[in-house]
Amino acid sequence: SNKSNAREGILVGCGNPLLDISAPVPLQFLEGYGMNVDDAILAEERHMPIYRELVDGYQAEYLAGGSVQNSLRIAQWILRQPNVAVFFGCVGQDDYADILREKARAAGVDAHYQVSPDTPTGTCAVLITGTHRSLCANLAAANKFTIDHLEQPANKALIDNAQYYYISGFFLTVNPPSIMRVAATANAKQRPFLMNLSAPFISQYFMEPLMAVMPYVDIIFGNEAEAHAFATAQGWPADADLREIGKRLVALPKINSERPRIAILTQGCDPVLLIQHDKVQEFPVTRLAVHEIVDTNGAGDAFVGGFLSQYVQGKSLDVCIRCGNYAAGHIIKNPGCTYSGEPEFNE
Ligand code: AP5
Ligand code: NA
């Protein structure tokens, strides 16, 4: 199994290109910034010193990050054929942007960044406390993304040429009009549009733009915490379990009713749930021995990457999900959302 049979540019993703600054820190570090061990938040003014402090005072590592970029890099790794995935997002004009550009290129992702010359490239602090990680994203330039970028003729051609579209819930904090544009294009051309719930704060604070795009979403991804946050924000019964939440998610209004929505919910080492209509299927996860686990950072993003690598080849959902689990299992054995060696996924 060498090259895939996916063509160049078949997949387009939009998101926040972030450079992760990752370091083990003591609990007091989090407490000092009013953060919890499993947070995923956006940086406020009071969090801004975190990045300098991490670099100056701790063993900080720089890793390519940003949820959608992570997923596309993993998809490319499995596909073994460059430029199947195209990425749009906004960076600054600085060394961090150069690092991201190089990491995307090396991974085979065809990144077309908008550049905001006066704003630094976005970063995400990954604060590691034992087996937990707390994320604090300073979007900076990533937040400057505008729809003009998608309207550039060359970029518009890339969007028209794609067959699959993937955008994170995280991008809802940046530019909903761009999301709606891509969603409408996908719908007009009868092509799948995939989204991710991304983090509980998206459902808590960005439900309005999320519900505006939901009718266009063919496949929605999420983990347990994100699904529960969505359910709470919708006012669904507090005792609704993940299966029930999945069924309600797929039943939300949909523009193209001929292609019913699918929900794919991950739950760590417990089985992945695939929800279609009122049917729930489980896909087991291979448990890793404690000594095999480096960190679970990026597991959810890698799951989506593995899924996409098969989905763009027209594979069945069960192959896609098994590849998602394969990819997540692999990156858990590596720091952050990174891989090593050649992919070894067999259908
Ligand atoms: P992070 O939250 O670390 O990554 P993630 O991909 O969301 O991974 P999690 O570890 O949180 O997994 P999950 O809970 O989603 O999935 P689950 O545990 O169900 O985020 C990292 C990135 O986010 C960073 O690079 C950062 O840049 C980016 N980011 C942060 N803020 C952002 C923003 N505002 N905008 C854009 N980007 C932003 O697991 C999924 C699958 O993994 C399972 O189905 C299974 O296959 C596997 N798995 C999980 N646990 C185990 C286990 N113990 N054993 C075996 N397999 C496992
Ligand atoms: Na990892």
mmCIF file of all heavy atoms in Angstrom, residues 16 18 20 42 64-67 70 124 133 135 137 139 170 201 223 226 266-270 272 285-288 293 296-303 324-325 328-329 332, ligand 1:
data_model
loop_
_atom_site.group_PDB
_atom_site.id
_atom_site.type_symbol
_atom_site.label_atom_id
_atom_site.label_comp_id
_atom_site.label_asym_id
_atom_site.label_seq_id
_atom_site.Cartn_x
_atom_site.Cartn_y
_atom_site.Cartn_z
ATOM 1 N N ASN A 16 -7.329 27.853 12.395
ATOM 2 C CA ASN A 16 -6.355 28.753 12.994
ATOM 3 C C ASN A 16 -4.977 28.119 12.950
ATOM 4 O O ASN A 16 -4.746 27.121 13.622
ATOM 5 C CB ASN A 16 -6.726 29.025 14.459
ATOM 6 C CG ASN A 16 -8.108 29.628 14.593
ATOM 7 O OD1 ASN A 16 -8.500 30.441 13.745
ATOM 8 N ND2 ASN A 16 -8.844 29.246 15.624
ATOM 9 N N LEU A 18 -1.722 27.722 14.326
ATOM 10 C CA LEU A 18 -1.080 28.105 15.592
ATOM 11 C C LEU A 18 0.211 27.339 15.771
ATOM 12 O O LEU A 18 0.320 26.180 15.360
ATOM 13 C CB LEU A 18 -2.006 27.783 16.776
ATOM 14 C CG LEU A 18 -3.421 28.372 16.744
ATOM 15 C CD1 LEU A 18 -4.217 27.920 17.965
ATOM 16 C CD2 LEU A 18 -3.371 29.903 16.666
ATOM 17 N N ASP A 20 2.289 25.668 18.589
ATOM 18 C CA ASP A 20 2.128 25.232 19.977
ATOM 19 C C ASP A 20 3.436 25.428 20.737
ATOM 20 O O ASP A 20 4.506 25.070 20.250
ATOM 21 C CB ASP A 20 1.734 23.750 20.035
ATOM 22 C CG ASP A 20 0.299 23.504 19.569
ATOM 23 O OD1 ASP A 20 -0.427 24.488 19.307
ATOM 24 O OD2 ASP A 20 -0.092 22.326 19.486
ATOM 25 N N LEU A 42 -9.476 30.542 25.128
ATOM 26 C CA LEU A 42 -8.830 31.608 24.370
ATOM 27 C C LEU A 42 -8.154 32.542 25.363
ATOM 28 O O LEU A 42 -8.713 32.825 26.432
ATOM 29 C CB LEU A 42 -9.862 32.398 23.555
ATOM 30 C CG LEU A 42 -10.537 31.670 22.391
ATOM 31 C CD1 LEU A 42 -11.554 32.594 21.716
ATOM 32 C CD2 LEU A 42 -9.515 31.164 21.379
ATOM 33 N N ALA A 64 4.137 22.231 15.613
ATOM 34 C CA ALA A 64 3.081 22.733 14.731
ATOM 35 C C ALA A 64 1.739 22.385 15.359
ATOM 36 O O ALA A 64 1.535 21.259 15.807
ATOM 37 C CB ALA A 64 3.193 22.092 13.356
ATOM 38 N N GLY A 65 0.853 23.358 15.428
ATOM 39 C CA GLY A 65 -0.457 23.095 16.042
ATOM 40 C C GLY A 65 -1.568 23.714 15.231
ATOM 41 O O GLY A 65 -1.417 23.960 14.024
ATOM 42 N N GLY A 66 -2.664 23.992 15.917
ATOM 43 C CA GLY A 66 -3.865 24.447 15.217
ATOM 44 C C GLY A 66 -4.621 23.200 14.813
ATOM 45 O O GLY A 66 -4.111 22.336 14.107
ATOM 46 N N SER A 67 -5.849 23.124 15.314
ATOM 47 C CA SER A 67 -6.598 21.880 15.221
ATOM 48 C C SER A 67 -6.751 21.351 13.782
ATOM 49 O O SER A 67 -6.476 20.182 13.505
ATOM 50 C CB SER A 67 -7.958 22.135 15.874
ATOM 51 O OG SER A 67 -8.756 21.035 15.760
ATOM 52 N N ASN A 70 -3.473 20.300 12.240
ATOM 53 C CA ASN A 70 -3.077 19.003 12.810
ATOM 54 C C ASN A 70 -3.757 17.871 12.035
ATOM 55 O O ASN A 70 -3.117 16.908 11.627
ATOM 56 C CB ASN A 70 -3.510 18.890 14.278
ATOM 57 C CG ASN A 70 -2.642 19.710 15.231
ATOM 58 O OD1 ASN A 70 -1.537 20.114 14.878
ATOM 59 N ND2 ASN A 70 -3.144 19.948 16.430
ATOM 60 N N CYS A 124 -0.315 28.640 20.771
ATOM 61 C CA CYS A 124 -1.160 27.957 21.755
ATOM 62 C C CYS A 124 -0.250 27.402 22.843
ATOM 63 O O CYS A 124 0.653 26.603 22.563
ATOM 64 C CB CYS A 124 -1.949 26.825 21.094
ATOM 65 S SG CYS A 124 -3.047 25.973 22.245
ATOM 66 N N ARG A 133 -3.441 18.126 30.097
ATOM 67 C CA ARG A 133 -2.905 19.265 29.355
ATOM 68 C C ARG A 133 -3.962 20.365 29.325
ATOM 69 O O ARG A 133 -5.155 20.129 29.196
ATOM 70 C CB ARG A 133 -2.484 18.850 27.946
ATOM 71 C CG ARG A 133 -3.651 18.339 27.086
ATOM 72 C CD ARG A 133 -4.277 19.468 26.348
ATOM 73 N NE ARG A 133 -5.514 19.137 25.653
ATOM 74 C CZ ARG A 133 -6.719 19.471 26.094
ATOM 75 N NH1 ARG A 133 -6.874 20.071 27.263
ATOM 76 N NH2 ARG A 133 -7.795 19.211 25.371
ATOM 77 N N LEU A 135 -4.932 24.016 27.475
ATOM 78 C CA LEU A 135 -4.597 24.789 26.276
ATOM 79 C C LEU A 135 -5.040 26.233 26.419
ATOM 80 O O LEU A 135 -6.153 26.501 26.879
ATOM 81 C CB LEU A 135 -5.307 24.205 25.048
ATOM 82 C CG LEU A 135 -5.102 22.726 24.749
ATOM 83 C CD1 LEU A 135 -5.999 22.299 23.585
ATOM 84 C CD2 LEU A 135 -3.647 22.452 24.431
ATOM 85 N N ALA A 137 -5.044 29.392 23.809
ATOM 86 C CA ALA A 137 -4.717 29.856 22.456
ATOM 87 C C ALA A 137 -4.739 31.373 22.381
ATOM 88 O O ALA A 137 -5.721 32.009 22.765
ATOM 89 C CB ALA A 137 -5.711 29.269 21.452
ATOM 90 N N LEU A 139 -4.840 33.680 19.562
ATOM 91 C CA LEU A 139 -5.051 33.573 18.114
ATOM 92 C C LEU A 139 -4.257 34.609 17.323
ATOM 93 O O LEU A 139 -3.803 34.333 16.217
ATOM 94 C CB LEU A 139 -6.534 33.693 17.777
ATOM 95 C CG LEU A 139 -7.440 32.612 18.369
ATOM 96 C CD1 LEU A 139 -8.874 32.822 17.870
ATOM 97 C CD2 LEU A 139 -6.957 31.213 18.030
ATOM 98 N N PHE A 170 -13.570 25.776 16.300
ATOM 99 C CA PHE A 170 -12.690 26.873 16.740
ATOM 100 C C PHE A 170 -12.753 28.058 15.784
ATOM 101 O O PHE A 170 -12.597 29.207 16.191
ATOM 102 C CB PHE A 170 -11.232 26.400 16.792
ATOM 103 C CG PHE A 170 -10.870 25.533 17.964
ATOM 104 C CD1 PHE A 170 -10.207 24.325 17.785
ATOM 105 C CD2 PHE A 170 -11.156 25.938 19.265
ATOM 106 C CE1 PHE A 170 -9.835 23.538 18.861
ATOM 107 C CE2 PHE A 170 -10.786 25.154 20.352
ATOM 108 C CZ PHE A 170 -10.126 23.948 20.159
ATOM 109 N N PHE A 201 -16.141 25.485 25.116
ATOM 110 C CA PHE A 201 -16.442 26.929 25.109
ATOM 111 C C PHE A 201 -17.118 27.360 23.806
ATOM 112 O O PHE A 201 -17.819 28.378 23.775
ATOM 113 C CB PHE A 201 -15.186 27.761 25.412
ATOM 114 C CG PHE A 201 -14.257 28.016 24.255
ATOM 115 C CD1 PHE A 201 -14.484 29.069 23.368
ATOM 116 C CD2 PHE A 201 -13.128 27.225 24.056
ATOM 117 C CE1 PHE A 201 -13.617 29.315 22.317
ATOM 118 C CE2 PHE A 201 -12.257 27.469 23.005
ATOM 119 C CZ PHE A 201 -12.508 28.521 22.130
ATOM 120 N N ASN A 223 -15.891 15.205 21.071
ATOM 121 C CA ASN A 223 -15.601 14.268 22.154
ATOM 122 C C ASN A 223 -16.712 14.385 23.208
ATOM 123 O O ASN A 223 -17.666 15.155 23.041
ATOM 124 C CB ASN A 223 -14.187 14.492 22.714
ATOM 125 C CG ASN A 223 -14.040 15.823 23.449
ATOM 126 O OD1 ASN A 223 -15.016 16.427 23.886
ATOM 127 N ND2 ASN A 223 -12.812 16.282 23.581
ATOM 128 N N GLU A 226 -17.349 17.887 24.797
ATOM 129 C CA GLU A 226 -17.912 18.825 23.825
ATOM 130 C C GLU A 226 -19.379 18.504 23.541
ATOM 131 O O GLU A 226 -20.211 19.409 23.420
ATOM 132 C CB GLU A 226 -17.098 18.760 22.523
ATOM 133 C CG GLU A 226 -15.687 19.302 22.681
ATOM 134 C CD GLU A 226 -14.663 18.695 21.739
ATOM 135 O OE1 GLU A 226 -15.052 17.985 20.790
ATOM 136 O OE2 GLU A 226 -13.469 18.928 21.973
ATOM 137 N N THR A 266 -16.117 10.691 19.939
ATOM 138 C CA THR A 266 -15.040 9.907 20.553
ATOM 139 C C THR A 266 -15.144 10.030 22.067
ATOM 140 O O THR A 266 -15.686 11.009 22.595
ATOM 141 C CB THR A 266 -13.657 10.406 20.093
ATOM 142 O OG1 THR A 266 -13.507 11.775 20.484
ATOM 143 C CG2 THR A 266 -13.495 10.287 18.577
ATOM 144 N N GLN A 267 -14.639 9.018 22.753
ATOM 145 C CA GLN A 267 -14.659 9.060 24.212
ATOM 146 C C GLN A 267 -13.398 8.400 24.774
ATOM 147 O O GLN A 267 -13.481 7.407 25.486
ATOM 148 C CB GLN A 267 -15.939 8.450 24.784
ATOM 149 C CG GLN A 267 -16.517 7.296 23.993
ATOM 150 C CD GLN A 267 -17.818 6.755 24.572
ATOM 151 O OE1 GLN A 267 -18.350 7.214 25.592
ATOM 152 N NE2 GLN A 267 -18.346 5.716 23.944
ATOM 153 N N GLY A 268 -12.230 9.002 24.440
ATOM 154 C CA GLY A 268 -10.950 8.514 24.951
ATOM 155 C C GLY A 268 -10.751 7.060 24.575
ATOM 156 O O GLY A 268 -10.887 6.701 23.404
ATOM 157 N N CYS A 269 -10.441 6.212 25.561
ATOM 158 C CA CYS A 269 -10.180 4.806 25.227
ATOM 159 C C CYS A 269 -11.464 3.976 25.156
ATOM 160 O O CYS A 269 -11.427 2.781 24.869
ATOM 161 C CB CYS A 269 -9.148 4.196 26.162
ATOM 162 S SG CYS A 269 -9.582 4.285 27.880
ATOM 163 N N ASP A 270 -12.599 4.593 25.366
ATOM 164 C CA ASP A 270 -13.875 3.881 25.163
ATOM 165 C C ASP A 270 -14.264 3.937 23.676
ATOM 166 O O ASP A 270 -13.741 4.750 22.929
ATOM 167 C CB ASP A 270 -14.969 4.502 26.038
ATOM 168 C CG ASP A 270 -14.736 4.203 27.512
ATOM 169 O OD1 ASP A 270 -14.148 3.135 27.808
ATOM 170 O OD2 ASP A 270 -15.091 5.041 28.351
ATOM 171 N N VAL A 272 -15.610 4.485 19.951
ATOM 172 C CA VAL A 272 -16.110 5.623 19.176
ATOM 173 C C VAL A 272 -17.557 5.320 18.793
ATOM 174 O O VAL A 272 -17.893 4.192 18.416
ATOM 175 C CB VAL A 272 -15.266 5.810 17.892
ATOM 176 C CG1 VAL A 272 -15.848 6.912 17.009
ATOM 177 C CG2 VAL A 272 -13.817 6.115 18.258
ATOM 178 N N VAL A 285 -11.686 0.845 20.675
ATOM 179 C CA VAL A 285 -10.363 1.482 20.658
ATOM 180 C C VAL A 285 -9.386 0.506 21.310
ATOM 181 O O VAL A 285 -9.705 -0.094 22.333
ATOM 182 C CB VAL A 285 -10.409 2.809 21.456
ATOM 183 C CG1 VAL A 285 -9.013 3.360 21.702
ATOM 184 C CG2 VAL A 285 -11.271 3.836 20.722
ATOM 185 N N THR A 286 -8.231 0.334 20.680
ATOM 186 C CA THR A 286 -7.212 -0.546 21.270
ATOM 187 C C THR A 286 -6.556 0.179 22.434
ATOM 188 O O THR A 286 -5.987 1.260 22.260
ATOM 189 C CB THR A 286 -6.129 -0.904 20.222
ATOM 190 O OG1 THR A 286 -6.800 -1.412 19.066
ATOM 191 C CG2 THR A 286 -5.161 -1.928 20.760
ATOM 192 N N ARG A 287 -6.667 -0.401 23.618
ATOM 193 C CA ARG A 287 -6.077 0.234 24.786
ATOM 194 C C ARG A 287 -4.564 0.180 24.711
ATOM 195 O O ARG A 287 -3.981 -0.836 24.349
ATOM 196 C CB ARG A 287 -6.523 -0.495 26.062
ATOM 197 C CG ARG A 287 -7.632 0.232 26.769
ATOM 198 C CD ARG A 287 -8.263 -0.635 27.840
ATOM 199 N NE ARG A 287 -9.672 -0.290 27.959
ATOM 200 C CZ ARG A 287 -10.129 0.618 28.821
ATOM 201 N NH1 ARG A 287 -9.298 1.226 29.635
ATOM 202 N NH2 ARG A 287 -11.413 0.894 28.871
ATOM 203 N N LEU A 288 -3.926 1.278 25.062
ATOM 204 C CA LEU A 288 -2.466 1.309 25.048
ATOM 205 C C LEU A 288 -1.961 1.070 26.465
ATOM 206 O O LEU A 288 -2.613 1.475 27.436
ATOM 207 C CB LEU A 288 -1.989 2.678 24.560
ATOM 208 C CG LEU A 288 -2.337 3.008 23.105
ATOM 209 C CD1 LEU A 288 -2.031 4.467 22.795
ATOM 210 C CD2 LEU A 288 -1.575 2.093 22.158
ATOM 211 N N ILE A 293 2.216 5.372 26.265
ATOM 212 C CA ILE A 293 1.602 6.694 26.102
ATOM 213 C C ILE A 293 2.608 7.801 26.379
ATOM 214 O O ILE A 293 3.182 7.864 27.465
ATOM 215 C CB ILE A 293 0.374 6.836 27.048
ATOM 216 C CG1 ILE A 293 -0.666 5.759 26.689
ATOM 217 C CG2 ILE A 293 -0.218 8.240 26.951
ATOM 218 C CD1 ILE A 293 -1.934 5.803 27.532
ATOM 219 N N THR A 296 -1.601 12.458 25.184
ATOM 220 C CA THR A 296 -2.778 12.310 24.317
ATOM 221 C C THR A 296 -3.060 13.603 23.551
ATOM 222 O O THR A 296 -4.076 13.704 22.864
ATOM 223 C CB THR A 296 -4.041 11.908 25.108
ATOM 224 O OG1 THR A 296 -4.337 12.965 26.014
ATOM 225 C CG2 THR A 296 -3.843 10.611 25.859
ATOM 226 N N ASN A 297 -2.165 14.589 23.642
ATOM 227 C CA ASN A 297 -2.419 15.847 22.931
ATOM 228 C C ASN A 297 -2.606 15.601 21.452
ATOM 229 O O ASN A 297 -1.804 14.923 20.828
ATOM 230 C CB ASN A 297 -1.260 16.837 23.094
ATOM 231 C CG ASN A 297 -1.045 17.208 24.530
ATOM 232 O OD1 ASN A 297 -1.980 17.138 25.322
ATOM 233 N ND2 ASN A 297 0.167 17.561 24.874
ATOM 234 N N GLY A 298 -3.676 16.166 20.937
ATOM 235 C CA GLY A 298 -3.913 16.027 19.502
ATOM 236 C C GLY A 298 -4.592 14.727 19.123
ATOM 237 O O GLY A 298 -4.788 14.460 17.938
ATOM 238 N N ALA A 299 -4.976 13.911 20.095
ATOM 239 C CA ALA A 299 -5.609 12.615 19.772
ATOM 240 C C ALA A 299 -6.880 12.830 18.959
ATOM 241 O O ALA A 299 -7.112 12.146 17.958
ATOM 242 C CB ALA A 299 -5.912 11.830 21.044
ATOM 243 N N GLY A 300 -7.681 13.787 19.380
ATOM 244 C CA GLY A 300 -8.933 14.058 18.669
ATOM 245 C C GLY A 300 -8.669 14.563 17.255
ATOM 246 O O GLY A 300 -9.334 14.159 16.296
ATOM 247 N N ASP A 301 -7.669 15.441 17.127
ATOM 248 C CA ASP A 301 -7.326 15.969 15.796
ATOM 249 C C ASP A 301 -6.796 14.842 14.907
ATOM 250 O O ASP A 301 -7.103 14.793 13.708
ATOM 251 C CB ASP A 301 -6.245 17.052 15.913
ATOM 252 C CG ASP A 301 -6.730 18.275 16.665
ATOM 253 O OD1 ASP A 301 -7.944 18.487 16.753
ATOM 254 O OD2 ASP A 301 -5.868 19.028 17.165
ATOM 255 N N ALA A 302 -5.970 13.968 15.481
ATOM 256 C CA ALA A 302 -5.413 12.860 14.697
ATOM 257 C C ALA A 302 -6.516 11.897 14.284
ATOM 258 O O ALA A 302 -6.500 11.361 13.170
ATOM 259 C CB ALA A 302 -4.351 12.129 15.513
ATOM 260 N N PHE A 303 -7.476 11.683 15.172
ATOM 261 C CA PHE A 303 -8.611 10.824 14.816
ATOM 262 C C PHE A 303 -9.275 11.364 13.543
ATOM 263 O O PHE A 303 -9.523 10.625 12.589
ATOM 264 C CB PHE A 303 -9.624 10.754 15.976
ATOM 265 C CG PHE A 303 -10.861 9.995 15.599
ATOM 266 C CD1 PHE A 303 -10.911 8.612 15.732
ATOM 267 C CD2 PHE A 303 -11.961 10.646 15.046
ATOM 268 C CE1 PHE A 303 -12.030 7.894 15.326
ATOM 269 C CE2 PHE A 303 -13.083 9.946 14.638
ATOM 270 C CZ PHE A 303 -13.119 8.564 14.786
ATOM 271 N N GLY A 324 -9.173 6.423 11.835
ATOM 272 C CA GLY A 324 -9.131 7.479 12.852
ATOM 273 C C GLY A 324 -8.544 6.950 14.148
ATOM 274 O O GLY A 324 -7.652 7.561 14.749
ATOM 275 N N ASN A 325 -9.003 5.796 14.566
ATOM 276 C CA ASN A 325 -8.477 5.200 15.799
ATOM 277 C C ASN A 325 -7.007 4.815 15.644
ATOM 278 O O ASN A 325 -6.205 4.980 16.575
ATOM 279 C CB ASN A 325 -9.301 3.968 16.195
ATOM 280 C CG ASN A 325 -10.614 4.356 16.858
ATOM 281 O OD1 ASN A 325 -10.728 5.436 17.451
ATOM 282 N ND2 ASN A 325 -11.607 3.489 16.759
ATOM 283 N N ALA A 328 -5.008 8.153 15.850
ATOM 284 C CA ALA A 328 -4.987 8.684 17.223
ATOM 285 C C ALA A 328 -4.066 7.838 18.091
ATOM 286 O O ALA A 328 -3.249 8.373 18.853
ATOM 287 C CB ALA A 328 -6.404 8.715 17.792
ATOM 288 N N GLY A 329 -4.161 6.533 17.951
ATOM 289 C CA GLY A 329 -3.296 5.638 18.729
ATOM 290 C C GLY A 329 -1.830 5.895 18.442
ATOM 291 O O GLY A 329 -0.985 5.857 19.339
ATOM 292 N N ILE A 332 -0.565 9.320 20.010
ATOM 293 C CA ILE A 332 -0.482 9.240 21.475
ATOM 294 C C ILE A 332 0.902 8.707 21.889
ATOM 295 O O ILE A 332 1.415 9.038 22.948
ATOM 296 C CB ILE A 332 -1.617 8.342 22.016
ATOM 297 C CG1 ILE A 332 -2.949 9.087 21.887
ATOM 298 C CG2 ILE A 332 -1.375 7.955 23.463
ATOM 299 C CD1 ILE A 332 -4.159 8.256 22.235
HETATM 300 P P1 AP5 B 1 -5.952 18.759 22.188
HETATM 301 O O1 AP5 B 1 -7.199 19.084 22.882
HETATM 302 O O2 AP5 B 1 -4.777 18.326 22.952
HETATM 303 O O3 AP5 B 1 -6.126 17.717 21.130
HETATM 304 P P2 AP5 B 1 -7.333 16.995 20.691
HETATM 305 O O4 AP5 B 1 -7.023 16.581 19.329
HETATM 306 O O5 AP5 B 1 -8.590 17.689 20.966
HETATM 307 O O6 AP5 B 1 -7.091 15.722 21.641
HETATM 308 P P3 AP5 B 1 -7.631 15.311 23.036
HETATM 309 O O7 AP5 B 1 -6.534 14.615 23.723
HETATM 310 O O8 AP5 B 1 -8.289 16.451 23.704
HETATM 311 O O9 AP5 B 1 -8.606 14.261 22.504
HETATM 312 P P4 AP5 B 1 -10.151 14.334 22.471
HETATM 313 O O10 AP5 B 1 -10.659 14.469 23.852
HETATM 314 O O11 AP5 B 1 -10.610 15.303 21.449
HETATM 315 O O12 AP5 B 1 -10.450 12.928 21.936
HETATM 316 P P5 AP5 B 1 -10.591 11.580 22.729
HETATM 317 O O13 AP5 B 1 -9.869 11.584 24.036
HETATM 318 O O14 AP5 B 1 -12.015 11.241 22.722
HETATM 319 O O15 AP5 B 1 -5.642 19.986 21.237
HETATM 320 C C1 AP5 B 1 -4.450 20.104 20.565
HETATM 321 C C2 AP5 B 1 -4.456 21.208 19.530
HETATM 322 O O16 AP5 B 1 -5.551 22.100 19.624
HETATM 323 C C3 AP5 B 1 -3.218 22.053 19.643
HETATM 324 O O17 AP5 B 1 -2.333 21.700 18.606
HETATM 325 C C4 AP5 B 1 -3.716 23.481 19.539
HETATM 326 O O18 AP5 B 1 -2.952 24.267 18.664
HETATM 327 C C5 AP5 B 1 -5.129 23.307 19.070
HETATM 328 N N1 AP5 B 1 -6.006 24.414 19.492
HETATM 329 C C6 AP5 B 1 -6.267 24.828 20.747
HETATM 330 N N2 AP5 B 1 -7.071 25.918 20.730
HETATM 331 C C7 AP5 B 1 -7.326 26.194 19.424
HETATM 332 C C8 AP5 B 1 -8.089 27.186 18.765
HETATM 333 N N3 AP5 B 1 -8.756 28.137 19.429
HETATM 334 N N4 AP5 B 1 -8.124 27.140 17.405
HETATM 335 C C9 AP5 B 1 -7.469 26.185 16.715
HETATM 336 N N5 AP5 B 1 -6.724 25.231 17.290
HETATM 337 C C10 AP5 B 1 -6.659 25.233 18.634
HETATM 338 O O19 AP5 B 1 -9.754 10.616 21.794
HETATM 339 C C11 AP5 B 1 -9.841 10.577 20.408
HETATM 340 C C12 AP5 B 1 -9.322 9.230 19.981
HETATM 341 O O20 AP5 B 1 -8.004 9.052 20.485
HETATM 342 C C13 AP5 B 1 -10.082 8.039 20.529
HETATM 343 O O21 AP5 B 1 -11.203 7.740 19.768
HETATM 344 C C14 AP5 B 1 -9.024 6.965 20.472
HETATM 345 O O22 AP5 B 1 -8.858 6.459 19.182
HETATM 346 C C15 AP5 B 1 -7.782 7.699 20.861
HETATM 347 N N6 AP5 B 1 -7.498 7.615 22.293
HETATM 348 C C16 AP5 B 1 -7.710 8.592 23.215
HETATM 349 N N7 AP5 B 1 -7.295 8.200 24.427
HETATM 350 C C17 AP5 B 1 -6.789 6.951 24.280
HETATM 351 C C18 AP5 B 1 -6.182 6.008 25.159
HETATM 352 N N8 AP5 B 1 -6.030 6.268 26.456
HETATM 353 N N9 AP5 B 1 -5.778 4.816 24.644
HETATM 354 C C19 AP5 B 1 -5.928 4.551 23.321
HETATM 355 N N10 AP5 B 1 -6.482 5.400 22.448
HETATM 356 C C20 AP5 B 1 -6.926 6.591 22.914
#
